[in-house]
Amino acid sequence: MVYVKWGFWGLFWLLVAAFLHYTLPQHDIGRITDTYEKRVDPGDNALFWSNADTGEDITGTNRDVFFIQTFRTNDRPMIYRNEDTGWGWPPYFKFDTSNLQAEASDLISKKNAANPQWVIITHYGWRNEFLSIYPNAVSVKAASGPDQRIIPWFNIILLTVLAAFAWGVRVRWKRFRANRLDPRIAQWTGRDE
């Protein structure tokens, strides 16, 4: 029974960590090599695409999506989608897809350029080639170089608040259980004598 309990809690916290990793903003440094627009028809992976109710026809089965092609500092390619999140989840309230695409196009840089333009791409989500999942770019801005250090202050503060909340709930539950439930259970089972 102990293994089932620990297995349940392990799975629960693994799902919480995966949810937070997918949803919280992440920052990558890379070179933008191309921007383009492509018609997509989300299928089995529709869960990882933004909702189609951000000003588009929600009855349509396919839609045009902007993409940003980059190469990261380790010379590995990374492709980001550029979709509005609207009022849905995750709550980035992103409505400036066209503006972001123009900013990304303006920051295009080639590898053999004299001074390649490095950019910080803020995004959420994961990249999975097998499932055709792309992270969604939220913003791009020029970086001072490929080794610029980025401290994710928002993530640090939010995770600290969530950990404090979880700790507070646990402490109160243990106190409630020790003061209210355990005495009643002992009384009902006859172990309080």
Side-chain angles (χ1 to χ4, degrees), residues 25-102:
Q26 301 171 35
H27 307 281
D28 294 338
I29 295 182
R31 285 181 303 103
I32 298 175
T33 58
D34 192 17
T35 59
Y36 63 94
E37 183 177 5
K38 179 173 134 181
R39 182 160 294 267
V40 297
D41 188 8
D44 293 336
N45 64 352
L47 174 68
F48 296 100
W49 293 84
S50 293
N51 295 329
D53 59 357
T54 56
E56 300 138 0
D57 179 16
I58 60 173
T59 61
T61 58
N62 54 23
R63 60 183 186 258
D64 292 332
V65 177
F66 291 122
F67 287 90
I68 302 171
Q69 289 181 340
T70 67
F71 276 87
R72 296 173 69 176
T73 55
N74 60 2
D75 284 333
R76 295 191 61 174
M78 180 61 132
I79 292 84
Y80 302 89
R81 65 186 159 91
N82 180 9
E83 285 188 287
D84 286 337
T85 60
W87 299 102
W89 191 263
Y92 285 97
F93 309 114
K94 180 182 169 202
F95 296 97
D96 64 343
T97 296
S98 297
N99 293 347
L100 182 61
Q101 195 73 3

Side-chain angles (χ1 to χ4, degrees), residues 116-128:
Q117 176 64 59
W118 295 96
V119 295
I120 300 170
I121 303 112
T122 303
H123 67 89
Y124 70 89
W126 300 319
R127 175 71 173 116
N128 187 312

